[in-house]
Amino acid sequence: MIKNYFKIALRNLWKNKIFTSLNVIGLTIAFGVAILLAMYAVYELSYDRFHEHGDHLYMVYSEDSTPNGIEANTTKSEPFAAALRDETTGVEKITRYSGGGLLLSYKDKQLRMSSAYVDPDFFDMFSFPIIEGDVENPITSESSIAITEFAAKRIFGDDNAIGQTVTILRDEQEVPFTVNAIIEDFPETSSKGFDIVLNFKSQGYHAYERTIGRWDVENHEVYMQLSKGITSVQFEKSTTDFTKLHYQEEIDNAKRDGAQPNKEGVYRQIKLLPFADLKFANFNQGPVTVNRTMPYLVLGIAALILFIACVNFVNMSIAKSGQRLREIGMRKTLGANKRQLFFQFWGESILVFVMSTGFGILVAKLLLPQFQLLFKTRATFEAFLDPALISVLIGTVIGITLIAGGYPAVLMSRLKTLQSLKGKLNNSGKNHLRNGLIVLQFSIAILLISGTLVLRDQVDYMRTKDLGFNKDQVIAFPLNGKRNDQQAMQLLRDALEDKTNILSVSASNNILGLGKDGSRSTSVLGFEHQGRGVETHMLVVDADYVETLDLKLVKGRSFRKHLASDSLSVIINESMARQLNEEDILNSKLNIDEKAFSIVGVVKDFNFQELDRHVAPMSLFALPNWNLRNVYVKVAPQDLEQSYLNVKAAWAAIEPNAEFQGSFLNENIERTLRNERNMITMIGSGSILAIALSCIGLFAMSLLIVAQRRKEIGIRKIVGASVSGITILLTKDFFKLVAVAFFIATPIAWMIMSKWLQNYAYRTDLNILIFLAAGGIALVIAALTIAGKTIKAATANPVKSLRAE
């Protein structure tokens, strides 16, 4: 029986080659793309899920009440971790964590490597297995380090790394360290990445020694493993006394300055963030929020694409059933029952879905390298290796087959025998289901197109926005060599002095945008001013910083060439000036660490942080002998490529073993928009596929409708109907459906995109023209899809259509 069903199914599918091909192509594309998108989403959602104690790992942070509302603070002071462990209940293990970069030397090699300074509990908390060396105490000694397999290969090649001595540049001195352990390379889905792990106490003077015992200096993160049986909420509530003991002065100052307590009535609350949420956490605006929008959006697009393809299949199957009425009638006359007919038609659907699934997997495998490159992801088919996930995927395919293939089979098996033999369907329903599904398809397509256009508009707005500094003619790169920063800067100035295309050279301890080395940092300084607390972002700069970046001075002057004379001077931005609220800002002083800094200038606000935030108060200091970290070179607008090569060559001469990681500031800004560009690519690709799949269904429907109305067309032509009149007759119903889809999708798209734009402090305005363009795109594509067949039908010889039954 099954073999017979299979043979008949193959025969019918082969007989209707065009519709079978359209169905297989549509479903293959849908399955292939859905697999890739689901792979990406599952990969993103699996971040940090591999840790054995993952359910009990948390980042410790605080939510502090300020006059401007709640602010999240992720950095902690040197004594905080030990005090929290000893003075509260529920801390199983705890570690401080300070990530960054360092310069490592071994024989003739000089390598820039990523580092993590942690406490010994780190390896007991996190699942980063040690595969060689001291498994128990890899970094107990302050002169020992643990390195990853990748780092060991990079430093020592094929030589044994254990026991080898390397030197690390610390406070301008090369300090020897012994390799004590090799760590297994961490999984791709780890939000923490490093080459070298060192004892937290191995940091330099400014990072560690000067902070010992000080609660007012916060410069690292803290992670803890919660004891079993204690929830994060219970632990947070139990820290009230701890907070009052160690932060009472800060709480009193917040009350004095007009801060309001949170909903629990406290001004500072220690909070725990599950470690698995860290990658998706936003600490920038008010209380911490965890946002997994991107992976879930990708899953949603995958589901919509599958849905559209399945709608095509259902519509074509129902429409095609009109050509199989006599077959159904004959089968019923010969004794076939509903069950047999159902399995016959459903078997055909299963064959189509099995073929499409197989081809879809093949398409996904072929497109995987391009997909990884396009979306900058390392997701692979390994993301689906979880048994539970495999079960879900198999269940999804079976479910789709049952619903999309079973529904048309049920409809056809229920047809009356006489109705089938007459070859006529009951049209009382007036194709409401078919039309409703087509409207739904195009609503989804218009929604995705609208989202793509709004996203692109927002990214273009941020990319072209005046950021308050010169981003087109300034090259930035890190000072990543062995030389003292001030010495390196002087040598660089000397090397570029005779280059007419080099206009000025400066430096600072921060980078604008996202550097080529992936670095991005900022420092916040708090102090008392006129009897109230003030916070400002702190930037230490070299000579000519204001001129090199083309910052606009609105009051006062810039720093003088000889910075020693301005070591107690400060330049602030407009936001800082507003916060200080002084009548004569240039005669004001900032009293910080028992030193009085004179305000000598005010610069116009410039965007030194992410573009989803308003410009915060900023103060520029000219502190001598300070680590500057990043160089800025302003070049002439002519021949930018040659200027870049000149700067690169100069740095190579000064630090021949250091990698030059230079880029123009506009490139740095572009890197900060990576997430938005990924969203554009993802939603844009989804909208293209959605409209393409919708048009496949529309094309198939137009073929069927033209075939069904062939005689009507012939009669209309004989009685004088024009080609344009017949074309409009055949297409107007489809255009009506697209118009209905537009009116349904537009308000939904407007609402969604309006809410999304609220995430940005600087955003474009929604324009109805964007949504009209989306509807117009859908309408034009729909018209082009059905135009060929309808015009051909309208111009055909009517005699051929009327010649025979």
Side-chain angles (χ1 to χ4, degrees), residues 742-791:
F742 170 77
F743 285 111
I744 291 173
T746 298
I748 298 173
W750 186 289
M751 179 181 66
I752 293 173
M753 299 315 299
S754 177
K755 186 175 180 180
W756 177 76
L757 286 173
Q758 297 304 313
N759 295 322
Y760 294 89
Y762 303 96
R763 52 184 176 268
T764 185
D765 295 322
L766 285 180
N767 192 323
I768 189 62
L769 293 177
I770 291 175
F771 300 95
L772 289 174
I777 290 170
L779 187 64
V780 169
I781 293 174
L784 293 174
T785 301
I786 60 178
K789 192 63 182 176
T790 52
I791 293 173

Side-chain angles (χ1 to χ4, degrees), residues 375 590 787:
F375 295 108
L590 305 182

